[in-house]
Amino acid sequence: MTLEDLQQRLRDFAAARDWEPFHHPKNLVMALSGEVGELISLFQWLTPDEARQYRSDAALAFNVRDEIADVLLYLVQLADALDIDLLEAGNAKMDRNESRFPRVHG
């Protein structure tokens, strides 16, 4: 599946439920923020080592994967609503980052 396939699947899902009127940038960014908050809550009180070892707790691992999926889906919908190519934007940002932050190691 490509990112475009996922965008279309999300469009079809929203259309089948008549949700398009609600999927404007303001609502989508608010929903995205809420999902990021839910992801944060899973790690909030963990030590750095516990966070790295999240997979050792099956329920936590499931919830982390589920919340990351929610973040991804809302981000894809937001980019679609704003007509932003996520891969192009991400690569352009990485190009800028590579210029701004020089390599430390070879």
Side-chain angles (χ1 to χ4, degrees):
M1 176 176 275
T2 67
L3 195 53
E4 292 80 19
D5 293 336
L6 183 57
Q7 281 179 320
Q8 188 58 55
R9 186 172 181 192
L10 286 163
R11 286 182 204 125
D12 294 344
F13 183 85
R17 290 153 182 82
D18 294 325
W19 288 353
E20 298 101 326
F22 309 105
H23 285 189
H24 52 77
K26 180 184 104 24
N27 280 1
L28 290 169
V29 78
M30 289 173 64
L32 174 61
S33 177
E35 295 301 337
V36 169
E38 290 181 21
L39 181 59
I40 289 168
S41 74
L42 297 174
F43 288 96
Q44 184 173 7
W45 302 114
L46 301 181
T47 67
D49 286 338
E50 289 170 335
R52 281 192 223 45
Q53 299 300 319
Y54 78 95
R55 286 187 185 104
S56 64
D57 178 334
L60 178 60
F62 175 85
N63 289 330
V64 166
R65 182 180 171 96
D66 214 44
E67 294 306 331
I68 285 178
D70 286 341
V71 169
L72 171 67
L73 295 176
Y74 276 119
L75 182 61
V76 169
Q77 287 178 297
L78 178 61
D80 192 31
L82 296 171
D83 197 27
I84 293 173
D85 181 315
L86 281 171
L87 296 178
E88 181 182 297
N91 278 308
K93 181 65 176 188
M94 284 304 301
D95 290 343
R96 290 190 303 282
N97 285 346
E98 287 172 347
S99 295
R100 289 180 59 209
F101 306 104
R103 295 179 104 160
V104 176
H105 303 285

